[in-house]
Amino acid sequence: LEVKGKALFDEEGRAYRFSGIAQDVTEAYRLQQRKDEFISVASHELKTPITSLSASMQILQKLVKNDPSSEKIPTFVNKANNNLSKLINLLDDLLNVTKIQQGQLALNITRFDIVALIRDCCDYINFNSEHEFVLMGEDEVMIFADYRRIYQVMINLIGNAVKYSPQSNRVEITVYHDEENVTVSVRDFGIGINPEKLPHLFDRYYRVDAFGHQFSGLGLGLYITAEIVQRHNGKIAVDSNLGSGSNFWFSLPMDDRMVEH
Ligand code: ADP
């Protein structure tokens, strides 16, 4: 509780009257604390790929000078590229948050098949992962939406399903629709989430147990994902059981008159 105001004192210096306001600052304090945490997490998250990129570049520089036909060169080029992609993704997330806060996340609505988009996402993520993606439900669902933004939503949800399920390699994605909405669910069989934490999951900077987190991340992915879904007049939700996995699902309106342009 924060109290702001003025006290009136008698001749002996005792306060006899107080006027002012008492304000609950717990929420503001929590956000500030999360921001402070975020700066330390973000610096660490940026430093890791930069350090690794710089090490790869130094090795490459030596190899190119002393042994230009070395078969190690492609491995280090790949490593450097992966770290560069990580950096680009981190910076994209930071820029997206700024755009959201300034109300500048513009949508570019076109008509496309969301099932084909999901197949492309699975192929892309599968490239770097051992996970098995099982796609169930509809074969084709044409929707009106922003292709690039919905791709980003799927990459975030599937990426989290993979990241937070080190003990299982199965991710199930289901697509179905009725007359009004298309619904996509992404289910994993991973670490799950404590039910008490569920209400905060889509908040900016929020990470379950931010300190001592064994997984990398900025705590921005779900915030951005929820914003994109809401901008499409859609809904997003999660069910989860600690220890046995999570199910994130979102639905989007099928009718383009429902989608803000
Ligand atoms: P992060 O960059 O930390 O992954 P997100 O915004 O994507 O940030 O997710 C916020 C937090 O929600 C994560 O830090 C993690 O604790 C939790 N979380 C998200 N997806 C899952 C999942 N599929 N299983 C378990 N926990 C999850």
Side-chain angles (χ1 to χ4, degrees):
L1 204 66
E2 182 179 80
V3 182
K4 280 192 191 136
K6 258 197 312 203
L8 297 178
F9 299 93
D10 61 19
E11 304 89 80
E12 277 142 45
R14 285 182 303 232
Y16 69 92
R17 204 176 139 198
F18 180 85
S19 65
I21 49 162
Q23 194 185 9
D24 185 358
V25 290
T26 338
E27 211 30 61
Y29 174 75
R30 251 189 233 132
L31 186 66
Q32 186 55 45
Q33 206 180 22
R34 235 182 255 162
K35 270 189 188 163
D36 294 346
E37 249 171 48
F38 171 75
I39 291 178
S40 88
V41 169
S43 321
H44 177 78
E45 289 292 312
L46 289 170
K47 186 146 188 224
T48 312
I50 288 176
T51 310
S52 176
L53 179 62
S54 149
S56 295
M57 293 313 282
Q58 276 175 20
I59 296 171
L60 279 170
Q61 213 170 19
K62 275 192 195 139
L63 284 173
V64 168
K65 194 169 163 215
N66 303 329
D67 186 8
S69 55
S70 163
E71 57 203 32
K72 289 185 195 150
I73 290 180
T75 315
F76 285 102
V77 169
N78 262 342
K79 235 180 148 174
N81 246 328
N82 283 341
N83 281 304
L84 207 52
S85 302
K86 270 189 203 153
L87 282 171
I88 292 173
N89 291 338
L90 288 171
L91 290 174
D92 273 347
D93 274 357
L94 291 171
L95 290 172
N96 278 321
V97 170
T98 315
K99 271 194 189 156
I100 290 170
Q101 285 175 311
Q102 294 173 347
Q104 286 174 349
L105 193 86
L107 297 185
N108 175 19
I109 306 291
T110 57
R111 189 160 186 265
F112 60 87
D113 172 15
I114 191 168
V115 184
L117 175 150
I118 293 170
R119 281 196 203 101
D120 285 351
C121 286
C122 291
D123 287 347
Y124 175 76
I125 292 184
N126 219 353
F127 197 68
N128 284 316
S129 129
E130 302 286 293
H131 278 66
E132 178 198 5
F133 300 111
V134 183
L135 189 52
M136 297 185 288
E138 318 273 351
D139 282 334
E140 184 190 289
V141 182
M142 298 302 292
I143 62 165
F144 289 95
D146 184 318
Y147 184 95
R148 218 167 55 90
R149 295 291 177 202
I150 299 301
Y151 192 89
Q152 197 180 358
V153 164
M154 288 310 304
I155 291 281
N156 283 343
L157 294 181
I158 301 175
N160 278 350
V162 168
K163 177 160 77 170
Y164 296 107
S165 57
Q167 80 276 38
S168 147
N169 65 359
R170 186 180 172 89
V171 175
E172 291 175 358
I173 302 156
T174 314
V175 185
Y176 54 93
H177 76 90
D178 56 21
E179 273 168 28
E180 284 165 13
N181 299 296
V182 58
T183 302
V184 179
S185 87
V186 179
R187 176 184 291 278
D188 67 63
F189 301 88
I191 62 170
I193 301 156
N194 182 334
E196 280 172 24
K197 316 279 182 182
L198 291 177
H200 305 290
L201 229 52
F202 299 100
D203 293 355
R204 190 165 30 125
Y205 310 132
Y206 187 77
R207 312 185 72 215
V208 176
D209 303 326
F211 289 118
H213 214 311
Q214 78 213 74
F215 305 95
S216 64
L218 291 178
L220 295 177
L222 286 180
Y223 168 72
I224 295 169
T225 297
E227 276 293 323
I228 294 174
V229 170
Q230 278 152 19
R231 282 295 315 279
H232 283 82
N233 281 320
K235 290 198 176 80
I236 185 161
V238 53
D239 304 314
S240 186
N241 284 311
L242 198 57
S244 56
S246 309
N247 183 28
F248 284 83
W249 57 266
F250 68 90
S251 58
L252 301 173
M254 303 273 291
D255 185 339
D256 73 321
R257 282 169 301 182
M258 289 293 295
V259 180
E260 272 177 56
H261 283 62

